[in-house]
Amino acid sequence: KYVPVIESALRPHARSSANAVGYWQFVKGTGLRYGLRIDAHVDERRNIFKSTEAACRYLKKLFAEFNSFLLALSAYNMGEHGLAVEIDIQQTSNFFDLYLSLETQQYIYKIIAAKLIFENPEKYGFDLEPSDLYPDFTFSQLNLSSDKQLPLVLIAKAAGISFKTLKTMNPDIRGYYLSPGRTTLLVPRGHEKDFPARFAKLHEQWQTRVHKQFHIVKPGESLISI
């Protein structure tokens, strides 16, 4: 559980120079391989629940392959193929005897340091008061299904929250629209009450305003001007 603390400082929008994204810093290929949806509308690497389940499956697979949590974490950092090559070349599977990159060597000790500090903060000079701690993350769920994309601001209004709050609680949703299909969104606890009725009313009003328009592009026009 200290891996995402080191990987991203628990920031959903963290992105590395290698385009690893999210709490657990999945690159796109690995994320897709472990069942995460990553496209123009949704990036589940930013979903704390789904990305954590995927990361646990990945770490479990790495542990089964290398039979060591230190090696599993090393492989998580540098890739299982790269670690397997080093083990083969150096003829040892003992983490402490392996000559690995400084980044991977330091990675393991950063995780251990985070564990020690979080479990005994006072011992390391962190005298925290209850007011210093983050509040518990409480939420309710909205289950939505639509055959067309929906404006997120419409959903936020129906839930009685701001667009910013909806985006903050659902960092995996990209852009300003919810893509067609079935989706579960998080909202502050209690804001799911009467949502269906409010949403139905706002949705009806929105549909009356929405209609297709066609424009023939003229010479000299730009996308911004249109």
Side-chain angles (χ1 to χ4, degrees), residues 145-203:
S145 180
S146 175
D147 58 355
K148 63 178 67 175
Q149 66 177 10
L150 296 170
L152 288 175
V153 69
L154 188 73
I155 299 169
K157 285 183 177 180
I161 59 177
S162 68
F163 176 84
K164 181 179 180 179
T165 297
L166 185 65
K167 289 284 286 185
T168 300
M169 294 188 71
N170 300 274
D172 50 320
I173 304 299
R174 307 178 72 175
Y176 295 90
Y177 291 87
L178 193 66
S179 59
R182 298 179 62 86
T183 308
T184 297
L185 296 176
L186 306 185
V187 295
R189 181 165 291 175
H191 283 259
E192 79 285 3
K193 296 176 181 177
D194 301 323
F195 174 82
R198 290 196 301 269
F199 178 76
K201 182 178 179 180
L202 289 170
H203 185 263

Side-chain angles (χ1 to χ4, degrees), residues 25 42 48 50 57 76 80 93 115 130 133 143 187 212:
Q25 290 291 279
V42 175
I48 185 64
K50 294 181 180 179
R57 289 198 304 272
Y76 191 92
E80 58 261 51
S93 59
K115 173 180 169 63
L133 306 179
N143 296 308
V187 295
K212 290 184 178 179

Side-chain angles (χ1 to χ4, degrees), residues 9-104:
L10 297 176
R11 294 176 296 133
H13 295 285
R15 180 184 293 270
S16 75
S17 58
N19 279 325
V21 171
Y23 297 98
W24 292 86
Q25 290 291 279
F26 275 108
V27 294
K28 186 175 183 179
T30 306
L32 292 172
R33 194 163 76 244
Y34 283 87
L36 297 178
R37 178 182 171 185
I38 305 170
D39 56 38
H41 304 287
V42 175
D43 190 340
E44 290 182 339
R45 293 176 292 181
R46 300 170 180 166
N47 183 301
I48 185 64
F49 304 103
K50 294 181 180 179
S51 66
T52 298
E53 290 174 359
C56 288
R57 289 198 304 272
Y58 186 28
L59 285 168
K60 186 176 181 179
K61 180 258 187 189
L62 293 174
F63 177 75
E65 181 176 348
F66 294 102
N67 196 34
S68 159
F69 279 116
L70 291 178
L71 292 180
L73 290 169
S74 299
Y76 191 92
N77 175 255
M78 64 182 291
E80 58 261 51
H81 176 70
L83 180 62
V85 168
E86 293 295 340
I87 289 173
D88 184 56
I89 292 175
Q90 299 179 41
Q91 295 294 296
T92 180
S93 59
N94 185 323
F95 168 78
F96 298 101
D97 289 334
L98 279 169
Y99 183 78
L100 303 175
S101 69
L102 287 177
E103 178 188 338
T104 300

